[in-house]
Amino acid sequence: MKRKLLRKAVSLTSVVVALFTGCMFFGTILSSAHEKNNPEETVYKYYTSIRIEYGDTLWDIAKETMTDEYNSTAEYVEVLKKMNSLDSDDIQAGQYLIVAYNDTEFK
């Protein structure tokens, strides 16, 4: 009689462990499936032209328009100079400057 009781206890313990393991396994699957349905928001890079106003400097414009991918204003100033075929930091009121910007909306 003690053996039957012991076998039932072992069987019951095995079933509980199997159920617990199954719940953990399927919970992990469901959790990862839920994460895949919520991807990070896509960011698109666009370019626009801005008119330089009196008193504007390339460095000020760079500070205002710099996107997250650049490590410093100096780095972005160099990018602006290349994009706009500028040999120096000198800009004049009335000129147009191409700048990049990021947006989460696809245009």
Side-chain angles (χ1 to χ4, degrees):
M1 183 139 175
K2 284 187 177 185
R3 283 189 179 186
K4 282 186 179 183
L5 191 57
L6 184 60
R7 283 187 201 158
K8 285 184 180 185
V10 170
S11 295
L12 183 61
T13 303
S14 298
V15 168
V16 169
V17 169
L19 284 172
F20 181 73
T21 304
C23 288
M24 285 181 44
F25 176 74
F26 288 112
T28 302
I29 290 174
L30 291 174
S31 175
S32 66
H34 177 70
E35 289 173 9
K36 290 179 184 177
N37 288 334
N38 295 325
E40 287 187 32
E41 204 165 33
T42 302
V43 176
Y44 301 96
K45 186 172 194 171
Y46 296 103
Y47 298 89
T48 191
S49 178
I50 61 169
R51 186 166 195 254
I52 299 170
E53 302 294 329
Y54 180 79
D56 284 346
T57 68
L58 192 59
W59 285 79
D60 290 338
I61 292 170
K63 287 177 189 174
E64 291 174 18
T65 61
M66 185 171 75
T67 55
D68 293 339
E69 66 216 68
Y70 301 102
N71 296 319
S72 68
T73 305
E75 178 185 3
Y76 188 56
V77 165
E78 291 304 312
V79 169
L80 286 176
K81 286 167 58 174
K82 286 180 185 175
M83 278 195 308
N84 290 280
S85 301
L86 298 174
D87 295 327
S88 71
D89 293 359
D90 295 330
I91 55 175
Q92 303 297 320
Q95 285 180 308
Y96 286 87
L97 192 68
I98 297 170
V99 296
Y101 69 97
N102 293 337
D103 198 340
T104 56
E105 184 178 321
F106 181 73
K107 299 177 183 180

